[in-house]
Amino acid sequence: MQERYSRQMLFQPIGEIGQRKIMNSSVLIVGMGALGTVLANHMVRAGVGRVRIVDRDFVEMSNLQRQLLYDEEDASNAYPKVVAAEKKLRKVNSSIVIEAVVSDVTGANIEELINGMDLVLDGTDNFRTRYLLNDACFRSGIPFIYGGAVGSRGMSAVFVPGVTPCLRCFIQSADTAGETCDMIGVIAPVVDMAASYEAVEALKLLADDGTSRRNGLVTFDLWQNRYYEMKFGEPDRNCPCCQLKVYPALQGHEEDILTMCGRDSVQFAGSGPLDLDVWQGRLEGASLEVKANPYLLRTVLPGGERLVLFADGRVLVQGLDDFARARTLYDRYVGA
């Protein structure tokens, strides 16, 4: 410990006592895209004892500009992001526990994913998942650190149950079909900064220095040289999460079909795990060329659309945003 974390321990607010607390901590990072890769890198190098990373997606060439744990081989092989990330992170720090989970995060599995965690970090790109994390964390009493990056703009905030408002009463509504990196782009430096704001707040909480915690939302635009911090007010007394304790994202029916905004993709949850060897035979039997790895299958359909089958049962129809057409293709090749 003395050599690996010596510079971090020399930083007085952490010291040896804080470092031991960090090493005894468990952190969940949801999303291993641009934000998540930076977050995971910081948490692993800082010595967090257990880091659980979760993501549903696989590495593509367009990710490499800003998702710092991946390389061209990962994209060529279409490895799941958490699998590729875990391989890199284990080379960085072999003394900690790294858990990679290839999965969509839903109301059905969120409680299991946050179980035993001291902190949840936001590496996602949509408010549907952020509200789910927010509600689950506040129900379980676990701090949630929010972050976002798009274009040259970034933002971050820390939400602590019983201490601060939650995401819902600070950002009461969000257009989930708003601007995303897939629509207006993003520059890598803004990702680094937004994730670093998250990471430093995580270290404050893990080292038990709550007095230094930021009490508000920080936003910045690196290209336009703007910075703004909005302090938290009192919680919204009608907030369904932290005040009324209804937790809307944890109620009701989970969507089985999801249009992935800006990605020209429609995701089908499926009804259960898929035997990829069996499905490779079926697709090749339909005269389709299949590229496979242990985690997923990919094929190009006659109309140019792409079909991706995951072992956990999810199926992506890519190359279109027409739900009806995607449903037709799913039913044709995978089954209703």
Side-chain angles (χ1 to χ4, degrees), residues 11 26 41 54 70 88-89 97 102 110 117-118 140 171 184 190 208 244 282 287 296 303:
F11 180 62
S26 298
N41 196 26
V54 186
Y70 310 131
K88 305 291 196 312
L89 294 169
V97 176
V102 183
I110 184 59
M117 296 293 109
D118 298 300
S140 299
I171 305 177
I184 68 168
V190 75
D208 201 20
L244 302 182
R282 290 182 182 178
S287 300
L296 58 87

Side-chain angles (χ1 to χ4, degrees), residues 17-26 47-50 118 206:
I17 294 176
Q19 184 61 46
R20 292 194 181 278
K21 291 179 178 179
I22 291 170
M23 293 169 65
N24 289 325
S25 298
S26 298
V48 173
R50 180 165 58 142
D118 298 300
L206 297 176

Side-chain angles (χ1 to χ4, degrees), residues 122-133:
D122 174 20
T124 70
D125 61 1
N126 67 88
F127 272 90
R128 171 181 172 270
T129 306
R130 287 176 178 134
Y131 285 140
L132 176 63
L133 298 178

Side-chain angles (χ1 to χ4, degrees), residues 256-258 266-270 313-317 323 326-327 330:
D256 294 327
I257 306 169
L258 176 65
V266 177
Q267 175 180 277
F268 295 84
R314 290 177 297 116
V315 176
L316 289 182
V317 182
F323 169 79
R327 173 88 256 185
Y330 176 84

